[in-house]
Amino acid sequence: AGALESVQNGIYDLSTNSSDFFSAILPALVILKDGDMSAYYDRAKADIEKALSFSKSSVFANYLYGVLCYKQGNYDDARKYLNAAVKRFSPEISEINILLAEIGYLQGDYKKSLELSESVLKKNPQHRNALKTGAKSAYALGDDAKTENYVVRILVTEPENTEYTLLRAKILMKRQDYVRASALLDACARIDDTSKEYKTIFNMITQGTGAIINIILDPILISNVGMG
């Protein structure tokens, strides 16, 4: 009870002696909490490895070790342990599959990432992380229609999510729909206009609308010159 209470409070319980599987692994659950838990990673690594020494085939321990590797940026090992957890339990565990999808995206395997995201969405069409990873992977693969479908569904529940608002703006720009893209950019500016992505898209829209204005004005200017 003490270890679980500490986890709920975002604290690593150092009082356990790690003498068995559960006393070793329970304190390490704290790495699943939101926020920066990096101060506990080294201790968690040692404790999860101890738990795995008690039960190498544990789905729970393999999953937790995979999460830890992912959080530390060690994606190859993360995939190894997460796949071990899936293999020993079920290939249909959404939280494992979406983490594997995110790793696939980060490593440039966009096709696999999208496949895993879609497998989660078949069971839960509004799974937020699956929609987000699916949108990024679909965009990387050049599937703008699918990207926009996912982005719209994300923004229904997270209307102030600037990352995916900007992603939709990029899709609209590819269609040269600068008016709607500008409206989305204005919405982002009210929340945060300091991001590099915002500034990049702002410059692209400025250049795009400038080119359109030139196309419209050039014949008029030429005509006026001729009249003079």
Side-chain angles (χ1 to χ4, degrees), residues 18-92:
S18 303
S19 59
D20 57 51
F21 176 82
F22 286 107
S23 64
I25 203 168
L26 287 180
L29 284 172
V30 75
I31 68 168
L32 299 177
K33 295 280 290 183
D34 292 333
D36 183 7
M37 296 291 147
S38 57
Y40 301 133
Y41 287 171
D42 288 343
R43 177 60 190 260
K45 183 176 187 293
D47 282 344
I48 300 170
E49 287 175 349
K50 186 71 177 289
L52 283 167
S53 73
F54 290 118
S55 180
K56 185 178 180 180
S57 63
S58 165
V59 173
F60 185 32
N62 277 283
Y63 168 70
L64 199 58
Y65 203 59
V67 171
L68 177 62
C69 292
Y70 167 76
K71 286 177 175 283
Q72 292 181 306
N74 188 349
Y75 301 132
D76 288 334
D77 279 348
R79 193 188 315 112
K80 171 186 171 183
Y81 285 95
L82 291 170
N83 278 325
V86 167
K87 182 179 179 181
R88 292 185 176 95
F89 188 66
S90 167
E92 302 299 325

Side-chain angles (χ1 to χ4, degrees), residues 41-174:
Y41 287 171
D42 288 343
R43 177 60 190 260
K45 183 176 187 293
D47 282 344
I48 300 170
E49 287 175 349
K50 186 71 177 289
L52 283 167
S53 73
F54 290 118
S55 180
K56 185 178 180 180
S57 63
S58 165
V59 173
F60 185 32
N62 277 283
Y63 168 70
L64 199 58
Y65 203 59
V67 171
L68 177 62
C69 292
Y70 167 76
K71 286 177 175 283
Q72 292 181 306
N74 188 349
Y75 301 132
D76 288 334
D77 279 348
R79 193 188 315 112
K80 171 186 171 183
Y81 285 95
L82 291 170
N83 278 325
V86 167
K87 182 179 179 181
R88 292 185 176 95
F89 188 66
S90 167
E92 302 299 325
I93 304 176
S94 294
E95 295 313 313
I96 294 179
N97 280 335
I98 199 55
L99 200 52
L100 286 168
E102 181 65 18
I103 291 168
Y105 175 78
L106 291 169
Q107 293 192 313
D109 190 351
Y110 305 125
K111 184 178 179 180
K112 184 64 175 178
S113 176
L114 183 57
E115 287 175 358
L116 287 166
S117 299
E118 289 177 331
S119 74
V120 174
L121 290 169
K122 283 180 181 179
K123 294 196 303 177
N124 182 357
Q126 282 303 123
H127 192 293
R128 290 189 185 185
N129 288 335
L131 286 171
K132 290 175 180 179
T133 304
K136 292 186 295 184
S137 297
Y139 186 79
L141 291 168
D143 191 337
D144 290 346
K146 185 170 287 185
T147 304
E148 188 167 26
N149 177 280
Y150 290 163
V151 167
V152 168
R153 287 154 67 183
I154 293 165
L155 295 177
V156 167
T157 56
E158 299 181 32
E160 295 189 352
N161 189 315
T162 56
E163 178 183 357
Y164 291 92
T165 301
L166 290 173
L167 182 55
R168 192 178 187 199
K170 287 166 71 173
I171 294 170
L172 293 171
M173 285 172 54
K174 288 169 73 173

